[in-house]
Amino acid sequence: MNNRRQNEKEGRKAERRVATYLRLRGYKVLEERFKTPHGEVDLIVQKGSTLAFVEVKQRATQRAIDESMTWRGEQRIIDSAEIWVERNFAQLPENFEMRFDFASIIGPVSPLSRVTYLKGAFLPE
């Protein structure tokens, strides 16, 4: 299997692992891999009146994870989140709050992989 395909496969496994992690903490997964012309949101979850748009990264090292998040990447997620909210506004709780979170897994993904989860990792400008 080529490297790109393997990376994508590991990324999807990481997204599933994070979705499980969040469900166990009381979040409802509303959407996975929401794609727009601007980019993609890995996970959209809800807990109470809070919507979280979650970027998931899986890399071999913490340094690689740190280097993988850029301002441009954050902006693509924010733009995509705005589209999702527009499309789903009627179903959202009154006075909902939006948050942009970041989840990471270092190393190969397994059901026991440690998830690092940062609430409010970045803010729209």
Side-chain angles (χ1 to χ4, degrees), residues 5-31:
R5 195 182 273 167
Q6 182 62 33
N7 289 344
E8 187 170 321
K9 185 177 178 182
E10 277 296 296
R12 287 184 188 207
K13 283 172 48 179
E15 291 165 8
R16 286 191 303 270
R17 172 67 183 102
V18 171
T20 299
Y21 171 90
L22 291 170
R23 281 185 187 103
L24 291 171
R25 283 153 183 80
Y27 288 84
K28 179 181 178 185
V29 176
L30 302 177
E31 188 136 7

Side-chain angles (χ1 to χ4, degrees), residues 37-90:
H38 298 284
E40 176 182 309
V41 179
D42 294 328
L43 295 170
I44 302 169
V45 299
Q46 179 182 359
K47 188 172 188 180
S49 63
T50 301
L51 293 176
F53 297 85
V54 184
E55 175 68 4
V56 177
K57 295 288 186 183
Q58 179 277 327
R59 300 287 191 276
T61 65
Q62 183 62 51
R63 182 176 180 176
I65 287 172
D66 294 343
E67 292 172 353
S68 70
M69 270 313 283
T70 64
W71 176 86
R72 177 176 236 136
E74 291 173 5
Q75 196 57 52
R76 282 195 292 262
I77 295 164
I78 291 165
D79 292 344
S80 297
E82 289 173 355
I83 291 169
W84 189 90
V85 168
E86 265 182 32
R87 291 182 185 173
N88 295 280
F89 190 77

